[in-house]
Amino acid sequence: NNAILRRIRVDLNASIADLPLECLSERQVEDLFQTSVDMAKAMLGNKALDVDSRRNRFQRAVTQKKFCSVNTTAIIEDESWKEFFQMKSTAMTRHDFSSVGVGKVTDKTTKY
């Protein structure tokens, strides 16, 4: 949603990575890494596989929070986000949906 992205980037001067995140545990990352190695071995064979390079790329992805997602529970429990969503909800109920063609009556037929 553009309003949410605008709130994050403009109002909060932040990025998605600055929001509360849920990330894979160390064990989950290790399991994922091992699965990746096993699949690469199956496809490429042992000789073509550079495990150290793969581990470095995995570690870089962990550092960059590539295995994380936004903790939506923390967001919706935060007071400032509650106010934001309440404001957006109020704006949506006041919006004239006919401007976007929803519920517009044409030829005695309602289009949804």
Side-chain angles (χ1 to χ4, degrees):
N1 183 318
N2 287 336
I4 293 172
L5 290 175
R6 187 172 37 258
R7 172 165 167 69
I8 294 166
R9 291 183 181 144
V10 177
D11 298 348
L12 301 176
N13 192 28
S15 71
I16 297 294
D18 297 317
L19 296 174
L21 300 174
E22 292 179 335
C23 302
L24 295 180
S25 69
E26 288 181 32
R27 176 72 182 153
Q28 290 170 316
V29 170
E30 186 57 36
D31 288 348
L32 184 60
F33 172 75
Q34 192 57 53
T35 299
S36 169
V37 168
D38 293 345
M39 296 299 290
K41 283 180 182 178
M43 293 188 304
L44 305 172
N46 286 336
K47 292 183 181 184
L49 181 63
D50 182 351
V51 176
D52 291 334
S53 175
R54 183 174 292 271
R55 182 165 299 281
N56 288 338
R57 287 192 312 272
F58 245 76
Q59 189 55 49
R60 196 167 39 250
V62 168
T63 301
Q64 294 171 347
K65 302 186 185 304
K66 300 277 184 173
F67 302 119
C68 301
S69 61
V70 174
N71 181 337
T72 54
T73 302
I75 293 289
I76 62 174
E77 290 175 352
D78 180 272
E79 287 303 317
S80 69
W81 279 100
K82 282 181 185 179
E83 291 171 13
F84 169 78
F85 288 121
Q86 182 62 43
M87 180 183 70
K88 289 298 171 191
S89 175
T90 302
M92 287 294 290
T93 58
R94 293 181 183 160
H95 183 71
D96 176 14
F97 288 102
S98 65
S99 67
V100 291
V102 177
K104 190 174 183 179
V105 177
T106 310
D107 298 325
K108 298 182 183 179
T109 304
T110 304
K111 293 183 179 180
Y112 294 98

